[in-house]
Amino acid sequence: MKRNGTINIGTVAKRTIALEAAAINDLQQFIDADFEKVVELVAQCKGRLVVTGIGKSAIIAQKIVATLNSTGTPALFMHAADAIHGDLGMITTEDIVMCISKSGTSAEIKVLVPLVKNFGNTLVAMVGNMSSFLAQEADYVLNTTVSHEACPNNLAPTTSTTAQLAMGDALAVCLIEWHGFTASDFAKFHPGGALGKKLYLKVADLCKLHQAPSVLLTSTLREVIVEISSKMLGVTAVLDENGVLQGIITDGDLRRMLEKNVATAGVTAKDIMSVHPKNIQQNELAINALEMMRQHDITQLLAMDGERYCGVIHLHDLIREGII
């Protein structure tokens, strides 16, 4: 392979993006009655959408399946080559099958399509050649025709796979809106990721990991220091004799007091504390606690259950959970 060091890299990259952007824009003309019917059928399907393909189209099929599953539409990937060697058994009578192909004439597709039709399943084609075997045999067609690949030889699937991906996203988003799929629903399917945690992790889930530091209004300076040090959160709440929150003392408050060289004998928590401490209800999302910390440039918030103090949420908790 001969190298050509004289190309303008920036020009080639911009041309590629422009070609693919134009191809995606052109897909709007292909959103037709077939597309709408496919959305309706998949939304009402009692089985799954089985998505299949060969080569680069198979990779796009896997991405579409991943998007559908994560947004509430049951889907399954089946490689077209494996399908004709036993994997057809994964298709149930209530499934819809969608076959993705640029040409619609691949050998594996030509073998697979009659088998699917014999099973009686609805067959959807996502294809870039409307006169192809696949397009003619399918019950419904999602047209992903492109005028030219971004590849300068018009060979490597580039623009065509981008079009397939965009059409798959259009299908997925229509289904999201059809089902009224919400951010809370999304979190149920993504409990292990940072994105999911932002949508479901609550302040109570994090503040319960620590002992709740607290002292009384009458606690001595030594008792305050011991409480802050032992709980290792850099802060303590100050409560009255009825357990009602009165203020907060941070390690920063202690340093500032000592820097003033004031007499410490007889100093109590009431003398050091800041009143009206920043706090958040324990049933709030942890991401909201992060926003409050950023807004006020602080690293801890007192967690409350109504008017009752119940603990501390620390910036380090949010970092550890990957929310930041």
Side-chain angles (χ1 to χ4, degrees), residues 38-54:
V38 170
V39 171
E40 293 175 6
L41 288 172
V42 175
Q44 298 169 355
C45 179
K46 295 180 180 179
R48 305 152 301 178
L49 178 62
V50 179
V51 189
T52 187
I54 195 80

Side-chain angles (χ1 to χ4, degrees), residues 252-309:
D253 293 327
L254 294 175
R255 287 194 301 272
R256 285 185 288 273
M257 182 198 68
L258 294 174
E259 287 169 357
K260 294 178 181 178
N261 294 318
V262 297
T264 58
V267 171
T268 64
K270 183 178 180 179
D271 303 318
I272 312 169
M273 73 178 189
S274 299
V275 295
H276 309 302
K278 299 292 184 297
N279 62 82
I280 188 169
Q281 291 296 312
Q282 66 170 358
N283 61 355
E284 287 270 358
L285 291 173
I287 188 65
N288 294 340
L290 174 60
E291 292 305 314
M292 284 188 65
M293 291 181 194
R294 285 174 171 167
Q295 180 183 352
H296 298 288
D297 195 25
I298 55 179
T299 58
Q300 312 103 332
L301 283 172
L302 301 185
M304 306 293 292
D305 181 7
E307 296 296 320
R308 182 179 66 85
Y309 164 69

